[in-house]
Amino acid sequence: MYLNLARSVSTLDQIQQPIAEEMKEFESFFRKSMKSDSLLLDKITYYVIKQKGKQMRPMFVFLCSKLCGGITPATYTAASMIELLHTATLVHDDVVDVANTRRSFFSINALWKNKIAVLVGDYLLSRGLLLSVDNNEFELLRIVSTAVKEMSEGELVQQEKSRLLNITESVYYDIIRQKTASLIAACCRSGANAGGASMEDQEKMYRFGLNVGLAFQIKDDLLDYGFGEKIGKPVGIDLQERKMTLPLIYTLQNSDSSTKRLLINIVKRHNTETRRIKELVDIVIKTGGIDYARKKMEEFRDKALTILDTFPASTSKTALHQMVHYTIDRKK
């Protein structure tokens, strides 16, 4: 059965305990990093700050920094750079996706239109890059800039392949490694770097973050098909956007030609019809696509934990263990 459901699942507040004070300080540091001379920009960035999500990425930075030597001024710079970058990509994504809401708030493009939203995203990205330059953190700049490049390439490959609906499992892993896992890997590596870790330990943290990121994205794939007892009652957002995710990829690879044609036809021409999406999901479940995706997610989780277990015991290591489990136990 998927995971040990008897295990107590930690909340993010519980996981954050070893770095609770630092995260409070980070919020102030992050607000200052967004400050500008434009009243309109300050109004929008204040609105952005009010919508803060789970803050998992800064948590990875701080916990990895604490694990690998200790939290330093560079840790705050790294966490702010990552959060500025991540926020910029979300603002730009909302423009591309014509999304009117995010986390139950109106999106920036819905309130201030596309041109301003794009400019705000550009501003946030530039502030993140300048933050590293102003603090002479050029290795952090390299780590984060590499993640920006990877994320952009992954998005473009996904757009190309989604039109053709011909993504293989290996290409899928390449895409999610670039789009999602590269940023979490950058969090972990930049945290280790800020803590003064050796290159060997920085590389370990990078690989740890990659595996967590891959598990995180597969979990998102599964959530699109429902959760727990609601599997089979899909959200279907990925399918509406014609995104080929792991459960469907596995099903296509293990179906006869007539079933493949049926599934592709649904994704191409009937991806907004609830009845047809339910038909596709039933086939994915019957073929074992959900179970296969869960199995791969757990494999990436276990790889991450194996890397983490090479570090000595500490409160930050325990919290990172909990973060890994939270990644695949979460319900949204």
Side-chain angles (χ1 to χ4, degrees), residues 152-169:
S152 301
E153 289 175 349
E155 184 64 53
L156 288 168
V157 171
Q158 183 174 63
Q159 291 294 324
E160 174 192 1
K161 297 295 184 179
S162 292
R163 287 198 297 269
L164 302 174
L165 297 179
N166 65 347
I167 294 179
T168 63
E169 189 171 341

Side-chain angles (χ1 to χ4, degrees), residues 128-144:
L129 300 178
L130 281 171
L131 195 59
S132 63
V133 174
D134 291 343
N135 289 279
N136 295 314
E137 296 291 352
F138 298 110
E139 180 58 20
L140 291 179
L141 177 60
R142 186 191 67 79
I143 293 169
V144 175

Side-chain angles (χ1 to χ4, degrees), residues 2 26 45 68 75 99 103 110 123 154 185 203 209 224 226 243-244 246 253 279 290 302 314:
Y2 166 50
F26 163 71
T45 54
C68 294
T75 311
R103 301 184 187 124
Y123 172 78
E203 182 59 29
D224 204 55
K243 291 180 181 176
M244 300 287 284
L246 188 55
Q253 290 175 342
E279 180 183 3
I290 300 294
D302 292 344
S314 66

Side-chain angles (χ1 to χ4, degrees), residues 23 64 109 151 263 275 288:
M23 287 297 292
C64 290
N109 49 295
M151 292 163 67
L263 293 171
R275 181 181 64 82

Side-chain angles (χ1 to χ4, degrees), residues 9-21:
V9 178
S10 300
T11 66
L12 284 178
D13 284 342
Q14 291 169 331
I15 296 169
Q16 195 182 107
Q17 283 308 304
I19 53 168
E21 289 303 315

